[in-house]
Amino acid sequence: MTRSAPGLAQGWCALSALHGRIEAHLERALQAGHELSVREFSVLNVLSAQHSGEGGHFRMNQLADAVVLSQSATTRLVNRLEDRGLLTRYLCPTDRRGIYTDVTDAGRRLLEEARPTHDAALHEALDTAERRPELTPLVTALRALGPSA
């Protein structure tokens, strides 16, 4: 059996802590401002990037992978968003076994209203996390990924 290096385990713990802190901060902000969970925001955000070209729509299993949920949890989440009028589902026109999901106009409006809240909360969470020495390198790496981080 190979033993893990202590640094690798510490790095994983730091990454997990950073993720937890960010997600909790986003959850509070999105719930308070828009009655959206982080997962709901993620689903709306991913689906809003769909297009009508080849491969432009996510099947439910692809959506589950994109938002890192099980297929059953994704289905329950999509059901809740559909019940709220934020999503709609339809059969794939070329493969009747496939089900696609689209964001409704109401869902797009809510997403656009929530996006500034999400982005501000993300920046706040990163600023706070960056003050912790064990999280600073991770925040630096995340910020280097792009201007939206």
Side-chain angles (χ1 to χ4, degrees), residues 2-135:
T2 306
R3 300 185 94 197
S4 298
L8 185 58
Q10 289 171 338
W12 171 247
C13 286
L15 180 59
S16 181
L18 179 62
H19 177 268
R21 288 169 182 273
I22 291 171
E23 190 168 61
H25 193 76
L26 291 172
E27 186 75 31
R28 285 189 300 274
L30 289 169
Q31 283 290 345
H34 308 282
E35 296 181 1
L36 268 179
S37 71
V38 171
R39 299 288 189 196
E40 290 168 336
F41 179 90
S42 295
V43 166
L44 291 173
N45 190 52
V46 165
L47 291 176
S48 73
Q50 296 182 126
H51 58 84
S52 59
E54 183 65 29
H57 277 79
F58 286 93
R59 290 178 181 248
M60 291 297 283
N61 63 326
Q62 293 170 309
L63 178 59
D65 287 344
V67 296
V68 194
L69 287 173
S70 68
Q71 285 190 12
S72 62
T74 302
T75 299
R76 288 190 302 273
L77 182 55
V78 166
N79 287 342
R80 285 194 308 271
L81 291 170
E82 188 176 34
D83 289 347
R84 290 174 61 185
L86 303 174
L87 295 179
T88 186
R89 281 187 273 198
Y90 63 94
L91 291 175
C92 170
T94 58
D95 179 0
R96 305 295 280 175
R97 296 171 296 169
I99 298 174
Y100 289 149
T101 306
D102 269 337
V103 181
T104 63
D105 289 342
R108 287 188 192 287
R109 280 191 303 275
L110 181 57
L111 178 63
E112 291 312 309
E113 290 169 8
R115 194 178 304 282
T117 302
H118 176 274
D119 293 350
L122 179 56
H123 284 287
E124 290 169 7
L126 289 172
D127 289 346
T128 300
E130 197 168 34
R131 293 185 206 116
R132 297 184 60 106
E134 70 277 14
L135 300 179

